[in-house]
Amino acid sequence: MKLRLANPGHVIDINPIEPELNYIRQEGNEIRIGALTRHVNMLESDLLARTFPDIFREAEAVLADPVVRNRGTMGGSLCQSDPAEDLSGVVVALKGKAVLRGPGGAERVVEMDEFHIGPYMTAVGPTEMLIEVRFPIHPGFGGAHEKVERRAGDFAIVAASAALSIQGGTIQTAGVACSAVGPTTMHIKRAEEALVGKAPSEELFQQAGQMASADCSPNSDGRGPADYKRAVAGVLTQRALSRAAATALR
Amino acid sequence: MLVSISINGQVYSHDVEPRLLLVHFIREYAELHGTHWGCDTSNCGICIVLMDDPQSDQPPYPVKSCTMLAAMAQGYEITTVEGMAKPDGTLDPIQMGFHEMHALQCGFCTPGMMSTGRWLIERHPNPTQMTDHEIRDGISGNLCRCTGYDNIIKAIRWAAAYIEEHPESARTAR
């Protein structure tokens, strides 16, 4: 609003319902995070660190600064739909699903590919709000978040989020997302398809990195020229996958 | 709209534009000019004040007052730099630390820096053992363009040691 990007007629402060919407809990084979869960809560959550080592902690530790993390929330990060934001990459890589609630309590569940429809634009309707994000749990999980930034706490020049589950020496599920290299958080599906069913190896991760580099669509701006960002996206994707695999096999 | 905010233990009620930011309420309506207004985009940390939720048992925590509407601060206790010292004028340990360690030059970042520093000490289980990395990371949302941060880190350490020696000084004045 301060940047005159939005000019709403009404603004409703939802902070008073924080006790209902600030939670991180396991239900069945899912982790559920309430929309008003603060960044500091996700950074310090043992349940998230245990279930998704260590993708949340790595992303939250480089997301803005401790003072901003005291107030900023899961829902705020996703609904701002800033393509350079860190947590959105994590949610895309983990195949999170957004739960939207509308009038009369009607709920619908939206995949991240449908949730972010453009810069600062989401699938949330005018009478809906995001209330929760759900993440499937996979055994043998390892994740990582890599970021290159101009200075501590800044938005990314490029960031990459990687999520793998490895069992019996084979990659069972893979999630790859890159931030700040396109109109929305970039979901690198081609890399995911190339990873699943294979044995983890540095050569495979390099190929996945090359796919990320090819499939993202960065702009040249104050944070660097497009070809530079493309190269960084590839390197960070490879690094994140490599560390995710090491964590999964730990 | 009518907004009532408790700042340093005193309630200020004013009819303001709904879009008024907390930092401007503090400076222009409560007329407390110790809280500064810097980048206006949550980067610099100049406008940081301490916010206390009376419903919560957490210690007061720092927020960037340029990124909150004044209306959102109703029901919270706000502490600005003017409210740090005790009513008898005794400085808060963090203020003493900044004085003793010469942790400011132009002083523009100092109120925000002290608010964050106060919180770092209060939330750490063993404040005198804070590493340089923990302090540097903790104040990474506060920019200082004069000091190079070294003396600020020393000042936070000084305050942590002072509080350990003088436990009665441990809580921020309300």
Side-chain angles (χ1 to χ4, degrees):
Chain A
M1 284 187 283
K2 269 192 305 193
L3 301 176
R4 307 293 187 263
L5 291 169
N7 185 19
H10 294 87
V11 176
I12 299 170
D13 182 11
I14 57 171
N15 284 286
I17 57 168
E18 180 181 345
E20 283 176 65
L21 288 181
N22 182 341
Y23 56 83
I24 301 167
R25 61 181 174 233
Q26 182 170 355
E27 275 184 39
N29 205 29
E30 279 181 340
I31 294 289
R32 298 181 171 193
I33 302 182
L36 271 177
T37 306
R38 312 278 172 190
H39 291 301
V40 62
N41 304 131
M42 290 180 268
L43 176 67
E44 293 176 353
S45 164
D46 290 333
L47 178 61
L48 289 183
R50 218 166 46 234
T51 315
F52 300 119
D54 217 5
I55 189 166
F56 274 100
R57 197 165 284 178
E58 289 186 6
E60 288 291 359
V62 296
L63 191 151
D65 62 67
V67 179
V68 169
R69 293 197 295 262
N70 278 339
R71 292 288 297 171
T73 61
M74 165 62 89
S77 274
L78 291 190
C79 292
Q80 175 73 2
S81 193
D82 186 319
E85 194 269 332
D86 292 280
L87 190 60
S88 297
V90 172
V91 177
V92 170
L94 288 174
K95 308 284 194 296
K97 289 179 182 156
V99 182
L100 310 181
R101 191 178 286 174
E107 281 186 10
R108 63 188 180 111
V109 179
V110 179
E111 309 261 348
M112 289 318 292
D113 288 339
E114 278 86 55
F115 183 86
H116 288 135
I117 56 180
Y120 312 112
M121 287 183 286
T122 69
V124 184
T127 58
E128 283 182 319
M129 69 180 273
L130 173 69
I131 58 159
E132 183 178 87
V133 186
R134 297 176 182 165
F135 300 94
I137 299 173
H138 300 289
F141 181 89
H145 185 79
E146 287 280 342
K147 179 179 186 178
V148 172
E149 55 191 345
R150 294 182 299 185
R151 56 172 189 274
D154 195 11
F155 280 103
I157 297 171
V158 181
S161 314
L164 294 174
S165 64
I166 303 175
Q167 281 195 297
T170 305
I171 297 171
Q172 307 290 329
T173 64
V176 181
C178 292
S179 303
V181 285
T184 64
T185 307
M186 292 276 99
H187 185 186
I188 314 294
K189 289 185 197 165
R190 201 155 62 93
E192 295 177 357
E193 285 157 15
L195 290 162
V196 172
K198 308 257 178 54
S201 73
E202 210 48 46
E203 194 190 353
L204 182 66
F205 298 147
Q206 190 178 4
Q207 287 167 11
Q210 285 162 356
M211 290 173 185
S213 191
D215 292 0
C216 66
S217 55
N219 285 330
S220 296
D221 61 15
R223 286 186 168 82
D227 54 354
Y228 163 73
K229 293 183 188 179
R230 229 180 243 292
V232 174
V235 172
L236 294 188
T237 299
Q238 182 183 350
R239 261 185 221 166
L241 283 167
S242 178
R243 289 200 303 108
T247 302
L249 296 168
R250 196 165 54 191
Chain B
M1 67 188 291
L2 185 68
V3 169
S4 300
I5 305 176
S6 177
I7 306 173
N8 305 328
Q10 187 182 333
V11 177
Y12 297 86
S13 296
H14 292 280
D15 189 24
V16 302
E17 270 196 80
R19 69 172 196 162
L20 188 78
L21 299 171
L22 177 58
V23 63
H24 299 309
F25 187 95
I26 292 169
R27 288 178 58 84
E28 291 163 26
Y29 289 85
E31 296 191 4
L32 297 166
H33 300 127
T35 303
H36 298 153
W37 178 40
C39 72
D40 204 24
T41 51
S42 279
N43 280 290
C44 75
I46 299 306
C47 65
I48 290 175
V49 297
L50 290 167
M51 196 164 95
D52 188 14
D53 181 357
Q55 318 284 337
S56 153
D57 54 2
Q58 295 294 310
Y61 61 91
V63 298
K64 295 188 173 178
S65 65
C66 78
T67 303
M68 264 185 85
L69 295 166
M72 293 167 73
Q74 296 194 97
Y76 293 93
E77 285 285 331
I78 303 294
T79 303
T80 67
V81 65
E82 291 92 341
M84 275 188 179
K86 294 217 163 64
D88 69 1
T90 312
L91 293 181
D92 186 270
I94 194 81
Q95 294 173 300
M96 294 185 211
F98 272 67
H99 181 254
E100 290 296 323
M101 291 289 118
H102 188 61
L104 61 143
Q105 288 177 30
C106 85
F108 194 56
C109 75
T110 311
M113 203 62 93
M114 292 196 302
S115 300
T116 305
R118 198 69 185 76
W119 170 71
L120 288 177
I121 293 169
E122 210 149 273
R123 76 191 293 261
H124 199 282
N126 200 349
T128 52
Q129 303 302 312
M130 275 196 286
T131 62
D132 267 14
H133 175 78
E134 280 180 298
I135 299 177
R136 282 181 184 275
D137 183 60
I139 61 172
S140 62
N142 298 63
L143 299 185
C144 170
R145 288 299 181 240
C146 300
T147 65
Y149 300 98
D150 276 359
N151 285 2
I152 292 172
I153 290 161
K154 285 181 193 159
I156 294 172
R157 279 200 193 296
W158 190 97
Y162 183 90
I163 291 168
E164 191 170 81
E165 281 166 37
H166 305 85
E168 74 285 356
S169 65
R171 291 296 288 195
T172 307
R174 302 269 173 95

